[in-house]
Amino acid sequence: VGFCENTPVIRFVGKYGRFLNSVGEKCSEAQISQAMRETCLRTGADLVGFTVRIYWKEQPSFEVAFEGEITEFFLEVLEEELCRVNIEYASKRESGRLAPPILHPLQKGSYARYRQRKISMGAPAGQIKDPVLALTEEEWTEVVYGLGD
């Protein structure tokens, strides 16, 4: 994304092959991160972290677990940003095949506890990344309820 003096600066945008897809929208980790970043900038939200999963029901939706402070219009702006970064998401929302996102607020310290659990299980602190996407119920449970391994 640029240089710091003569050293290249790169940005990690996500793990390869990680995306959410319930009805053909295929939202990548990078697209979700971009939508959240823009939503926070536009609304003034101050998030510690967030994790998104598909909430499976008759009309599936994205469920967004988050820690931090959001504003009144956060959900509306997030929806706009998801539609902007992924035309298939926009199409599925317009057709009604995909329901609007659901917010799931987390207790203060949730992501710090998640990282601490990973360290206590032997993971190097520098290698722990808060999960942007939860592709399995186990990943979701580990972040949202503090359960796992």
Side-chain angles (χ1 to χ4, degrees), residues 77-91:
V77 173
L78 176 59
E79 174 80 346
E80 290 172 9
E81 289 298 329
L82 287 168
C83 288
R84 187 181 64 77
V85 300
N86 185 300
I87 61 170
E88 289 300 326
Y89 178 89
S91 170

Side-chain angles (χ1 to χ4, degrees), residues 90-103:
S91 170
K92 302 316 184 246
R93 284 290 298 119
E94 188 176 314
S95 72
R97 291 180 62 203
L98 191 63
I102 301 166
L103 294 178

Side-chain angles (χ1 to χ4, degrees), residues 34-78:
Q34 180 182 353
M36 288 297 279
R37 185 172 41 257
E38 291 301 319
T39 299
C40 288
L41 288 172
R42 287 179 55 194
T43 65
D46 184 21
L47 298 185
V48 172
F50 66 91
T51 303
V52 184
R53 73 162 177 173
I54 295 172
Y55 180 62
W56 293 102
K57 53 187 177 182
E58 186 174 324
Q59 185 186 27
S61 64
F62 287 5
E63 185 172 10
V64 182
F66 69 94
E67 179 184 343
E69 300 298 320
I70 62 170
T71 58
E72 181 181 355
F73 299 106
F74 183 86
L75 190 56
E76 178 182 327
V77 173
L78 176 59

Side-chain angles (χ1 to χ4, degrees), residues 32 46 52 56 66 80 82 95-96 100 110 114 118 127 139-140 143:
I32 301 245
D46 184 21
V52 184
W56 293 102
F66 69 94
E80 290 172 9
L82 287 168
S95 72
S110 292
Y114 168 83
K118 292 292 190 184
Q127 296 296 313
E139 288 176 324
W140 181 256
V143 172

